[in-house]
Amino acid sequence: MQDIAVIEDPAAAEISLDPIRTRILRELVQPGSATQLAVRVGLPRQKVNYHLKALERHGLVELVEERRKGNVTERILQATAASYLISPSALAAVSPDPRRFADRFSAFWLLALAGRMVQEMGTLIAGAAAARQKLATFAIDGDITFRSAADRAAFAEELGVEVTRLVDKYHDGGASSRGRRHRLVVALHPALKEASAPIASNESDPGKEQDK
């Protein structure tokens, strides 16, 4: 089982978005039979079997074992991954193309780059798994708080200069180069605001009781 699988086939993407099948995929992180799943999801076994066949047909679940019980053979299935991402290639006709525009300060360009990264990483991971090779990647994820918009702009400018310096230092762009080309993406965007804590009702607020 992979940690994450990227779904590129439009039909498989459609199959995976069905709420019942999504629940089945979540349950099948651990191997199980149609009978076991029927109890967990609260559906008749025949209905679960119908969904399992659709998921198996599109490569989202796979057979891991067959158990003989009397005159019946029980099929044990497992999801092919613990988590799934749908690649923009599943919507190829309308997926964003970063080459259409290139604006360092465009949120839409950033989104197009992120979509391309999902698509390319999905293909690379599948290829590395088939070749039984490790994939050389590197990522940084962190938070930074700026005092002002001017500080944020200054940071972006310095970061761009420093990244350009490193690229110029290590890039082997000669005609005789036999090196492996790598994709470099650097992103900066506001963090999502955390949900506010729920406000206590009057009945549970001692201060409100004293005001009465």
Side-chain angles (χ1 to χ4, degrees):
M1 172 189 281
Q2 299 182 65
D3 290 328
I4 304 174
V6 178
I7 299 173
E8 297 182 344
D9 177 49
E14 182 180 0
I15 288 292
S16 70
L17 291 173
D18 178 88
I20 295 175
R21 291 166 182 167
T22 299
R23 171 75 187 279
I24 290 174
L25 287 175
R26 185 170 70 245
E27 294 289 344
L28 283 181
V29 170
Q30 300 296 328
S33 66
T35 301
Q36 292 168 334
L37 282 170
V39 175
R40 295 181 202 167
V41 302
L43 289 174
R45 185 176 60 83
Q46 292 82 356
K47 192 75 172 178
V48 170
N49 259 326
Y50 167 78
H51 292 300
L52 285 173
K53 288 178 181 178
L55 290 168
E56 188 176 9
R57 187 165 58 249
H58 289 89
L60 298 176
V61 303
E62 59 187 357
L63 179 68
V64 295
E65 185 183 355
E66 288 187 331
R67 297 173 183 169
R68 189 73 177 176
K69 287 189 174 182
N71 296 327
V72 178
T73 300
E74 186 178 52
R75 302 177 79 244
I76 307 300
L77 298 159
Q78 185 174 28
T80 53
S83 302
Y84 295 89
L85 279 174
I86 296 177
S87 169
S89 63
L91 295 170
V94 292
S95 64
D97 184 357
R99 296 172 298 182
R100 288 180 53 199
F101 50 90
D103 179 355
R104 290 190 305 167
F105 302 103
S106 168
F108 296 107
W109 190 48
L110 175 55
L111 198 59
L113 290 174
R116 184 186 66 188
M117 183 180 295
V118 170
Q119 180 177 347
E120 292 185 349
M121 285 304 303
T123 301
L124 288 167
I125 288 172
R132 295 186 178 181
Q133 294 180 346
K134 290 185 177 180
L135 192 61
T137 62
F138 171 76
I140 296 176
D141 179 33
D143 292 323
I144 180 171
T145 301
F146 297 107
R147 285 188 298 266
S148 66
D151 279 1
R152 183 184 64 227
F155 173 84
E157 183 65 27
E158 289 185 42
L159 181 61
V161 170
E162 197 60 26
V163 169
T164 300
R165 183 187 69 80
L166 288 171
V167 170
D168 289 342
K169 179 179 179 179
Y170 290 101
H171 177 54
D172 181 14
S176 61
S177 174
R178 296 182 179 179
R180 174 69 184 269
R181 188 168 64 94
H182 286 69
R183 179 86 73 187
L184 173 66
V185 177
V186 180
L188 176 70
H189 62 81
L192 294 175
K193 294 182 179 179
E194 296 181 2
S196 301
I199 300 175
S201 64
N202 289 352
E203 291 76 13
S204 60
D205 188 340
K208 292 293 183 181
E209 292 292 333
Q210 292 174 4
D211 290 341
K212 291 182 180 179

